[in-house]
Amino acid sequence: MAKLLLKFNAQLLKEIPLDQDILSVGRKPDNNVVIDHPAVSSHHCRIVRRADGFVLEDLDSTNGTYVNDKRVLKVALRDNDVIGLARHALVFVEDKRPAAVQEKRPAAVGEETLSLTPKEAGQAPKAAAPAPEPAPAPKFDKIGGLRVLKGIVGEVEYELKGLSTYIGKSDRVQIPIKGAGLFGAAPEVAASIHHKPEGFLLVAVSDGYPVVNGTKVRGQILLNDGDLIECGGTMLQFFLRDA
């Protein structure tokens, strides 16, 4: 059975079997695959099953749908194609084994999308087992934060409490910035900061828009205590303190 691998910055989040004729992707909860990211449209794209394979269709999304880094409106999917959605990716995997030898998994009651962990993939169905204890939340030695030096829109200081924090002019982000500045109108989502075991990682959602210590950021960068982050007309200073 064909499936999708949902990834964020190369980290596998879930596996999604393509076991229905139409699978929709977007930000709103009525989609089969929900990506709660401001840069993803309410109904961003869909994957349609045809007699000869699967076709990806963009649904007039604001920021576009990309396959292997090329913007597309409608395209037939091939094995290992990478569908780009903001900082997320859906990797299309086509299982060409005969149906008789493919694993059959019962659908979860009341669920349209079944998520598989890597450990579960390839294993035969087993009898229901007691639910495992939830994994403990990761513990960090340092607490990070952002201090607004220029262009105050909301608070003067923000503590980076979650594992991911978004910066931009959208009303869905945690840290709002001014709508215009030296580099023109601010994007809905300019950057995100992710708390990793190695520290705080700033990811440029809009490549080249965030500036750290005078250098435009493309891709990602590990933040250091005292770094200055400029997003349009807003200047932020990153700080660390003991947890």
Side-chain angles (χ1 to χ4, degrees):
M1 177 185 293
K3 62 185 177 181
L4 297 172
L5 306 180
L6 176 60
K7 296 185 177 183
F8 182 82
N9 285 342
Q11 180 181 359
L12 179 64
L13 300 181
K14 65 171 67 174
E15 297 184 8
I16 306 162
L18 288 170
D19 54 1
Q20 45 196 318
D21 292 335
I22 298 177
L23 183 139
S24 61
V25 182
R27 195 178 66 247
K28 284 194 173 182
D30 60 349
N31 289 282
N32 302 113
V33 179
V34 179
I35 300 178
D36 189 12
H37 190 293
V40 176
S41 296
S42 299
H43 298 94
H44 200 101
C45 63
R46 67 179 182 179
I47 297 173
V48 181
R49 178 162 54 188
R50 302 284 174 82
D52 56 348
F54 292 86
V55 175
L56 172 72
E57 299 176 356
D58 181 75
L59 299 177
D60 294 325
S61 61
T62 301
N63 295 309
T65 302
Y66 292 79
V67 174
N68 303 330
D69 295 325
K70 181 179 179 180
R71 188 164 183 170
V72 299
L73 295 179
K74 184 176 181 179
V75 67
L77 291 174
R78 297 181 178 180
D79 190 32
N80 288 323
D81 275 349
V82 179
I83 305 167
L85 298 160
R87 285 292 169 182
H88 292 75
L90 288 168
V91 182
F92 175 73
V93 179
E94 189 173 15
D95 191 343
K96 296 183 179 180
R97 293 177 299 166
V101 301
Q102 290 186 21
E103 178 187 18
K104 297 181 180 180
R105 301 182 64 92
V109 177
E111 291 185 359
E112 295 182 359
T113 300
L114 176 64
S115 301
L116 304 178
T117 65
K119 184 177 180 180
E120 291 174 327
Q123 294 180 351
K126 297 181 179 180
E133 293 292 329
K139 294 183 179 180
F140 299 100
D141 296 331
K142 296 288 185 179
I143 294 174
L146 293 175
R147 187 175 296 112
V148 184
L149 303 181
K150 183 179 70 173
I152 297 175
V153 176
E155 304 294 331
V156 176
E157 188 173 293
Y158 295 89
E159 184 177 313
L160 302 175
K161 298 179 179 179
L163 294 179
S164 297
T165 303
Y166 292 93
I167 303 170
K169 72 173 184 180
S170 169
D171 57 5
R172 296 174 60 86
V173 303
Q174 292 92 340
I175 301 179
I177 60 176
K178 280 185 173 292
L182 179 63
F183 304 103
E188 293 295 305
V189 182
S192 58
I193 297 177
H194 305 275
H195 200 173
K196 302 286 187 178
E198 64 269 26
F200 288 83
L201 195 68
L202 181 139
V203 177
V205 177
S206 296
D207 276 343
Y209 188 85
V211 176
V212 175
N213 300 329
T215 302
K216 293 183 178 181
V217 177
R218 289 178 173 82
Q220 58 190 31
I221 184 173
L222 190 65
L223 293 173
N224 295 307
D225 190 23
D227 279 350
L228 296 177
I229 304 168
E230 187 175 359
C231 291
T234 301
M235 178 74 75
L236 307 163
Q237 184 176 39
F238 175 73
F239 64 85
L240 288 170
R241 62 169 177 260
D242 293 331

